[in-house]
Amino acid sequence: MSRTRHIRGSSLAGTAVAAAALLVTAIAPTAHAGPRPDRATAVENAAAALADHAAALGLGSAQGTSVRDVVIDPDGAQHVRYDRTYRHLPVLGGDFVVHLAPGGSYRGADRATTRTVSLSSVTPALPAPKAADLAASALRAAHRGETLRKVTAKPQLVVDALHGAPKLAWRTTVAAQDTLGNPVARSVLTDARSGARIDSWDTIETASGDGASLYSGTVPLQTTVSGSTNQLKDPTRGNTYTGDAANKTDLCFFGICFSRAPATVFTDADNHWGTGSTADRASAAVDAQYGTDETWDYYKNVHGRNGIAGDGKGSYNRVHYGNKYNNAFWDDSCFCMTYGDGDGSTFGPLVALDVAGHEMSHGVTSKTAALTYSGESGGLNEATSDIFGTMVEWYANNSSDPGDYLIGEKIVRSGFGKPALRFMDKPSKDGNSADCWSSSVGNLDVHYSSGVANHFAYLLSEGSGAKTVGGVAYDSPTCNGSTVSGIGHDKVGKIWYRALTVYMTSSTKYAGARTATLNAAKDLYGAGSTEYNAVAAAWSAVSVA
């Protein structure tokens, strides 16, 4: 059964080892007044230097070289990087860089290792199939408790000059799929004579890129290298990824989905994503992925929760869902977030940071208290997402979208008529939400009954009355005429998280939320503490006794 959690309620949808480098020699730079050399000239100059300095570079008749890279400085100095072979076998740790003056004269070299490469034989005692088996076992050991599928192993005979005296070795790349279908891979280095494992390392490559977002400026992104391109998929955060829904929609009836919009993972050649404009479809993807990253980090670094479900497994995002779709939602059945582009006049793309935090937090709720999505429990469910979406925004500390107590302020447009979707200091400013609890609050749409808890969270964070925080003016009343002092949003987030994950249940209503948060405050700060008393006062201030 598909359960969706939406950002808003309306008539639309409630819906290597590092080896030491050695400078062999150094010659003072010489002036160069000629034209800047090109790559071919640099390679030719370096080849001449190799011939003249072979002994210093440890090059013998059994060794070969190939150019890996060339760097030419603005002043014409050249740096040519080489890989090395020994009797036609790759030498791990055989790489070196030749440095040339602007005129092409030899300045020196940096070598990965200075050991002499010389072997009595390049015939392995350990056969390739055995090396493959050992590597597969190493991959399985690295993924204890998981059943790996489609395991393949490709051994390659090499000379290992990285780990002590050069020796003949098998470098085996072993790959498989985990239980979720995600790729896992490892390189295993095995002594080709004894069969002993020399080293091993993960070989699913990650890369650090950046993206020009719509709302949060230029942001860092962790991506996955795939051949000659990069995928907007973060292996450091459970393989969370962002895909293009291609403006299609899901086909669902009565909570059962018969087909789904795609989530074709975004790719990019240079790992610089988006332009900050809606003209580039990747820009919205940047926001969605960034929001996922910050939400993941908030839960992990603040609450010790590893992923939405606490199991280290990532969810995924779909952007560009539908045609001018004015909503965003979390869906338990696909464990994913989905974002519309908005109609342009009422809403822009619904991929802002607090929206992402809101949607992912629905997933956290579904894996913890599983608050029923109706009545007072539904209001608490929505408020939980508003509270944690706000906490994520504060946690991210992004100057382009600083923390505040407004929900969705980045996505609204002039046609919406208000500066935000919801207002935590005084929820009724949206025209529909409740500031105070009453016996009828459970009859409201859950996006509006959430106002009571949102108001509580603001009062507990900042206190009552007029106040300017981060340049935003707030004025929060109390329902009982009291004056409330705040304890700061960081403590509020910790109290609400413990209440959600330890004390609340699917049927918790507002009175139960008061008890749950008091228990959480007692656990964290002690009975009778300032924090405990503030929780009680804030609930009383919104008429929850």
Side-chain angles (χ1 to χ4, degrees):
M1 208 72 186
S2 171
R3 294 189 298 163
T4 58
R5 306 289 185 264
H6 298 264
I7 185 62
R8 59 183 299 267
S10 74
S11 58
L12 293 164
T15 158
V17 175
L22 176 70
L23 184 64
V24 175
T25 184
I27 297 176
T30 57
H32 176 66
R36 187 166 180 259
D38 58 14
R39 177 186 173 93
T41 300
V43 171
E44 183 180 345
N45 291 338
L50 292 191
D52 293 341
H53 300 276
L57 294 169
L59 295 172
S61 59
Q63 298 183 39
T65 59
S66 61
V67 174
R68 187 199 301 176
D69 192 27
V70 176
V71 174
I72 302 174
D73 294 340
D75 68 353
Q78 304 136 58
H79 313 274
V80 182
R81 185 178 299 275
Y82 284 92
D83 288 314
R84 188 190 312 232
T85 61
Y86 176 79
R87 296 172 68 175
H88 306 292
L89 299 179
V91 179
L92 307 185
D95 54 298
F96 59 95
V97 185
V98 172
H99 306 290
L100 305 168
S105 60
Y106 179 72
R107 281 182 170 175
D110 284 298
R111 296 168 58 186
T113 181
T114 60
R115 294 180 182 273
T116 300
V117 178
S118 180
L119 302 179
S120 60
S121 171
V122 292
T123 301
L126 184 76
K130 181 60 176 175
D133 289 343
L134 291 172
S137 296
L139 181 65
R140 291 188 177 97
H143 293 267
R144 293 184 183 92
E146 291 190 67
T147 300
L148 300 183
R149 300 174 297 166
K150 300 181 179 180
V151 179
T152 60
K154 297 180 179 180
Q156 180 188 28
L157 200 59
V158 299
V159 176
D160 172 34
L162 286 174
H163 304 84
K167 62 183 72 69
L168 194 66
W170 289 107
R171 178 177 60 186
T172 305
T173 300
V174 56
Q177 290 181 353
D178 64 15
T179 53
L180 298 176
N182 296 314
V184 295
R186 201 163 182 82
S187 281
V188 181
L189 198 61
T190 308
D191 191 309
R193 300 201 182 283
S194 68
R197 187 189 306 173
I198 301 169
D199 199 1
S200 65
W201 56 91
D202 287 330
T203 53
I204 293 293
E205 294 185 69
T206 65
S208 295
D210 58 67
S213 71
L214 297 175
Y215 303 123
S216 296
T218 298
V219 296
L221 297 169
Q222 290 295 315
T223 59
T224 298
V225 178
S226 178
S228 61
T229 191
N230 302 282
Q231 295 179 330
L232 195 51
K233 181 178 185 179
D234 188 346
T236 70
R237 297 178 176 91
N239 284 313
T240 56
Y241 72 89
T242 299
D244 194 335
N247 298 108
K248 297 181 180 179
T249 59
D250 299 333
L251 180 62
C252 303
F253 296 98
F254 304 107
I256 299 174
C257 293
F258 299 92
S259 66
R260 289 195 176 276
T264 306
V265 66
F266 281 85
T267 59
D268 187 86
D270 63 6
N271 220 11
H272 300 295
W273 304 77
T275 61
S277 165
T278 55
D280 187 336
R281 294 179 74 84
S283 297
V286 169
D287 284 273
Q289 188 70 28
Y290 171 67
T292 300
D293 292 351
E294 290 298 324
T295 304
W296 180 287
D297 290 353
Y298 168 74
Y299 278 109
K300 185 171 185 178
N301 297 334
V302 175
H303 303 300
R305 186 178 189 83
N306 190 19
I308 290 178
D311 57 3
K313 298 173 183 177
S315 55
Y316 67 92
N317 304 308
R318 299 184 299 181
V319 296
H320 305 303
Y321 179 88
N323 182 29
K324 298 183 178 181
Y325 184 64
N326 275 334
N327 223 324
F329 62 88
W330 166 266
D331 189 337
D332 287 341
S333 68
C334 65
F335 206 63
C336 67
M337 285 81 69
T338 300
Y339 302 91
D341 289 326
D343 59 12
S345 60
T346 307
F347 293 99
L350 286 88
V351 290
L353 181 57
D354 57 353
V355 176
H358 176 110
E359 299 309 338
M360 288 186 71
S361 295
H362 276 307
V364 174
T365 298
S366 75
K367 295 297 182 181
T368 55
L371 289 157
T372 301
Y373 205 61
S374 63
E376 290 189 23
S377 300
L380 286 166
N381 190 316
E382 272 298 316
T384 294
S385 283
D386 281 350
I387 290 167
F388 285 130
T390 297
M391 297 303 161
V392 168
E393 199 174 63
W394 284 108
Y395 172 84
N397 194 26
N398 185 306
S399 60
S400 295
D401 188 6
D404 53 49
Y405 297 96
L406 308 174
I407 306 301
E409 74 281 359
K410 286 287 188 179
I411 63 173
V412 296
R413 298 294 182 263
S414 59
F416 185 66
K418 300 182 185 70
L421 280 173
R422 290 186 285 279
F423 307 84
M424 297 181 75
D425 64 323
K426 189 177 182 181
S428 61
K429 287 194 290 187
D430 68 9
N432 295 290
S433 291
D435 293 336
C436 311
W437 182 86
S438 69
S439 58
S440 63
V441 76
N443 298 326
L444 296 175
D445 179 279
V446 294
H447 296 88
Y448 306 140
S449 61
S450 64
V452 179
N454 281 345
H455 192 191
F456 158 82
Y458 175 86
L459 289 169
L460 187 57
S461 296
E462 301 294 342
S464 58
K467 186 175 188 178
T468 298
V469 183
V472 180
Y474 304 98
D475 193 355
S476 189
T478 58
C479 305
N480 61 356
S482 65
T483 298
V484 175
S485 297
I487 61 174
H489 54 76
D490 288 342
K491 289 182 178 179
V492 173
K494 292 176 181 178
I495 289 169
W496 196 270
Y497 180 79
R498 181 161 180 81
L500 177 75
T501 58
V502 176
Y503 295 112
M504 292 185 187
T505 67
S506 60
S507 63
T508 296
K509 297 181 180 180
Y510 273 108
R514 177 187 171 108
T515 300
T517 51
L518 283 169
N519 284 335
K522 180 175 65 176
D523 294 344
L524 294 169
Y525 304 107
S529 63
T530 298
E531 293 82 0
Y532 181 93
N533 292 335
V535 169
W539 277 124
S540 295
V542 295
S543 300
V544 177

